[in-house]
């Protein structure tokens, strides 16, 4: 039998100084402990020790030259966490907060998220502590070239397929893929999130945000309501927030906030016109990492240094960064009557915030389920690349919608509690874990 306290203290000893990784494992452990302890096969196989240890971690030096001609040095990472159900798959994050701990937490989460998509993808993650903020286009290009010069040694279309994440969008994927092709002379589609002219899938840029709203729609329908007329607080203003704003509008809901590191914008009419969506893309492409110009442009209020969770809304939808919504924010949302929380960022809520929502019986869709649409369409991009074919947008969108519906059903099946409350965290963790763990048992050690 596994004992929670003992397992976590041993995990901490094996992984010192990795708080994000310990937080991610603890969350999964809380959901799956009883399930694992009920099956002697898992216990005999030491499944928890094995599933929490990455297969391997690459750490490397990235040297590049800035526009002033100075040599800069960053850290590069690729964590190949688990390939039991398919090639390692997961994004690359360029952000100054990137450490081994954040890479491992994201790779661990990715393993279960990818399992939930029903597609054959293992889990991996990579990135760098490189800060894209304020960098010129040619600096980004030089950094990406240097990063890929090393990364290409560890990836391949059947072994490990990276994609984008925070700080890595279609421009960076282009520069990275260009360098890969220069070095390897291969058109294998080794990255996903590619441009539509050179092997990318339609709907991939929109997929994470669209998927999150499809998932929200399923949750709301399950609770006897619809998204029609619901107000939504979204955080972030990048690719994920953008897709969420578009799909929310299409489904009849109204996104009233977006945010950045500088504060949040309150747009009572909703972020619901093509002009506003296009402007979000412009803001992101400017590399300034501020959202205030949106308020000036559309004549709405900006709240410097504040988070959108102080607004009264029906649905809270964190779309930016890990631990962006804490206990205090959760209490404020509960007090103002929030009905649903759709965590669209990876581990967007602290453990305490998540518990607060669950204790208050608020349906809470965890990141690994709610944001799985992005990697799901990456999986569909891999399928199209293998077929040397491309599907129409409507075909990809229909597949995405079906995948999000299946993920919701899996959460309901494993997460419904005795009193009828659907614990989506528990459901997602058990459903994601079971497939990976059973594959590990099938494959031996
Ligand atoms: N970075 C995204 C995620 O967290 C997408 C990964 C991918 O498409 O491989 O799931």
């Amino acid at each position: 039998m596994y004992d929670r306290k003992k397992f976590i203290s041993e995990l901490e000893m094996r992984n010192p100084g990795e708080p994000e990784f310990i937080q991610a494992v603890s969350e999964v452990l809380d959901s799956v402990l009883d399930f694992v302890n009920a099956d002697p096969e898992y216990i005999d196989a030491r499944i928890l020790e094995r599933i929490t240890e990455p297969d391997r971690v690459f750490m490397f030096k990235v040297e590049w030259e800035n526009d002033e001609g100075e040599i800069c040095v960053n850290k590069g990472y690729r964590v190949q966490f688990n390939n039991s159900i398919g090639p390692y798959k997961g994004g690359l994050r360029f952000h100054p907060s990137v450490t081994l701990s954040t890479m491992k937490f994201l790779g661990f989460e990715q393993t279960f998220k990818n399992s939930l998509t029903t597609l054959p993808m293992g889990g991996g993650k990579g990135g760098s502590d490189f800060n894209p903020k304020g960098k010129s286009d040619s600096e980004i290009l030089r950094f990406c070239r240097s990063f890929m010069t090393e990364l290409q040694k560890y990836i391949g279309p059947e072994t490990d397929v990276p994609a984008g994440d925070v700080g890595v969008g279609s421009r960076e994927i282009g520069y990275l893929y260009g360098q890969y092709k220069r070095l390897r002379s291969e058109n294998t589609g080794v990255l996903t999130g590619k441009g539509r002219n050179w092997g990318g899938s339609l709907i991939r840029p929109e997929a994470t945000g669209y998927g999150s709203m499809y998932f929200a729609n399923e949750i709301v329908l399950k609770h006897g309501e619809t998204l029609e007329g619901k107000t939504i607080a979204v955080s972030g203003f990048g690719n994920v927030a953008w897709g969420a704003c578009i799909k929310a509008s299409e489904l009849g809901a109204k996104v009233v906030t977006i945010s950045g590191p500088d504060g949040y914008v309150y747009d009572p009419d909703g972020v619901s016109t093509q002009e506003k969506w296009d402007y979000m893309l412009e803001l992101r492409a400017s590399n300034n990492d501020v959202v205030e110009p949106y308020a000036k442009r559309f004549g709405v209020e900006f709240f410097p240094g504040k988070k959108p969770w102080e607004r009264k809304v029906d649905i809270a939808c964190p779309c930016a960064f890990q631990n962006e919504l804490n206990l205090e924010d959760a209490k404020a949302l509960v007090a103002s009557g929030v009905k649903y929380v759709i965590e669209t960022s990876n581990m967007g809520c602290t453990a305490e915030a998540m518990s607060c929502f669950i204790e208050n019986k608020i349906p809470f869709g965890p990141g690994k389920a709610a944001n799985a649409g992005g990697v799901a369409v990456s999986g569909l991009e891999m399928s199209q690349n293998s077929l040397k074919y491309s599907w129409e947008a409507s075909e990809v969108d229909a597949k995405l919608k079906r995948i999000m519906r299946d993920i919701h059903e899996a959460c309901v099946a494993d997460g419904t509690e005795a009193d009828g409350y659907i614990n989506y965290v528990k459901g997602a963790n058990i459903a994601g874990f079971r497939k990976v763990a059973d594959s590990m048992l099938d494959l031996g050690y």
Side-chain angles (χ1 to χ4, degrees):
M1 291 277 276
Y2 281 105
D3 173 71
R4 185 193 191 278
K5 226 171 133 194
K6 184 165 174 286
F7 183 80
I8 293 291
S9 84
E10 286 170 2
L11 185 81
E12 281 170 340
M13 264 166 16
R14 283 201 305 277
N15 302 279
E18 297 183 7
E20 293 88 357
F21 178 57
I22 305 295
Q23 182 185 341
V25 174
S26 302
E27 184 217 286
V28 171
L29 191 64
D30 286 342
S31 298
V32 304
L33 195 63
D34 291 346
F35 170 73
V36 170
N37 275 336
D39 190 337
E41 232 196 314
Y42 287 146
I43 300 169
D44 292 345
R46 309 305 298 160
I47 198 69
L48 289 183
E49 287 84 345
R50 288 167 59 198
I51 217 165
T52 54
E53 193 62 39
D55 291 351
R56 66 194 65 77
V57 175
F58 299 102
M59 291 175 64
F60 50 91
K61 177 172 68 170
V62 188
E63 299 170 325
W64 56 284
E65 193 182 327
N66 69 14
D67 287 344
E68 284 71 48
E70 295 156 354
I71 307 289
C72 306
V73 184
N74 283 99
K75 285 182 185 295
Y77 301 86
R78 186 70 185 167
V79 174
Q80 296 183 336
F81 216 101
N82 191 305
N83 69 351
S84 303
I85 63 176
Y88 303 105
K89 180 83 196 85
L92 299 170
R93 177 174 291 194
F94 291 170
H95 193 272
S97 67
V98 163
T99 60
L100 179 59
S101 172
T102 50
M103 291 286 99
K104 281 172 65 180
F105 119 63
L106 289 161
F108 179 75
E109 288 280 294
Q110 196 82 43
T111 302
F112 304 111
K113 181 197 312 192
N114 294 0
S115 158
L116 283 172
T117 64
T118 68
L119 302 172
M121 299 183 289
K125 203 84 186 189
S128 172
D129 59 359
F130 171 74
N131 186 0
K133 185 176 173 176
K135 299 289 187 300
S136 71
D137 191 65
S138 46
E139 286 176 324
I140 303 263
L141 171 65
R142 287 196 292 276
F143 178 81
C144 288
R145 269 207 306 243
S146 180
F147 183 83
M148 182 52 90
T149 302
E150 182 66 21
L151 183 71
Q152 56 94 18
K153 297 172 190 166
Y154 317 119
I155 60 176
E158 300 296 337
T159 51
D160 185 353
V161 183
D165 194 81
V166 175
V168 179
S170 50
R171 171 180 58 172
E172 290 74 17
I173 293 294
Y175 294 159
L176 291 163
Y177 194 46
Q179 181 69 348
Y180 182 85
K181 293 216 286 187
R182 235 165 264 127
L183 295 168
R184 302 277 287 258
S185 299
E186 289 170 359
N187 279 283
T188 53
V190 72
L191 298 172
T192 59
K194 297 185 293 296
R196 63 174 68 176
N197 292 334
W198 34 278
S201 174
L202 292 169
I203 304 287
R204 178 62 190 91
E206 296 87 345
T208 312
Y210 276 23
S212 145
M213 283 302 137
Y214 287 144
F215 192 70
N217 195 36
E218 292 296 326
I219 295 189
V220 169
L221 288 175
K222 183 76 190 169
H223 291 81
E225 294 196 279
T226 67
L227 278 179
E228 191 66 45
K230 295 266 181 310
T231 52
I232 307 182
V234 160
S235 63
F237 66 101
N239 182 258
V240 178
W242 167 78
C245 289
I246 298 174
K247 191 49 75 178
S249 293
E250 278 178 30
L251 295 171
K254 191 161 73 168
V255 173
V256 291
T257 69
I258 52 173
S259 73
D262 53 334
Y264 80 91
V265 162
Y266 180 66
D267 186 344
D269 293 337
V271 186
S272 48
T273 62
Q274 189 65 46
E275 197 191 351
K276 290 176 179 177
W277 302 329
D278 289 346
Y279 191 66
M280 284 173 83
L281 293 181
E282 241 179 76
L283 266 185
R284 174 55 61 196
S286 75
N287 266 7
N288 291 326
D289 219 10
V290 288
V291 78
E292 189 178 4
Y294 177 102
K296 293 209 174 88
R297 164 84 179 253
F298 295 105
V300 295
E301 256 186 297
F302 175 67
F303 296 83
K306 298 268 190 191
K307 297 197 257 181
W309 319 128
E310 62 184 26
R311 306 305 309 195
K312 178 176 169 44
V313 286
D314 298 313
I315 302 175
C317 186
C319 288
F321 219 61
Q322 70 258 16
N323 294 327
E324 56 173 307
L325 195 160
N326 61 27
L327 181 59
E328 209 186 310
D329 303 321
K331 282 183 178 161
L333 282 165
V334 171
S336 68
V338 74
K339 290 180 159 178
Y340 305 94
V341 180
I342 312 296
E343 184 194 48
T344 304
S345 37
N346 288 309
M347 210 165 74
C349 296
T350 63
E352 298 78 24
M354 196 176 73
S355 303
C356 172
F357 293 127
I358 293 173
E359 276 158 22
N360 283 283
K361 304 283 177 194
I362 289 168
F364 176 90
K368 66 169 72 67
N371 74 30
V375 75
V377 174
S378 276
L380 300 176
E381 183 172 329
M382 289 164 73
S383 307
Q384 292 168 84
N385 291 163
S386 299
L387 291 167
K388 305 259 185 280
Y389 192 65
S390 68
W391 295 322
E392 284 175 21
S394 58
E395 289 177 86
V396 180
D397 197 27
K399 287 181 170 52
L400 169 63
K401 206 186 277 182
R402 201 204 60 225
I403 288 170
M404 297 315 294
R405 196 181 316 128
D406 290 349
I407 295 176
H408 179 264
E409 268 170 32
C411 292
V412 172
D414 280 305
T416 305
E417 297 185 335
D419 63 357
Y421 173 68
I422 303 169
N423 185 333
Y424 286 94
V425 176
K426 187 171 155 199
N429 283 332
I430 293 180
F433 178 94
R434 186 195 291 112
K435 189 169 156 195
V436 179
D438 290 352
S439 304
M440 288 172 75
L441 295 188
D442 292 344
L443 296 169
Y445 58 88

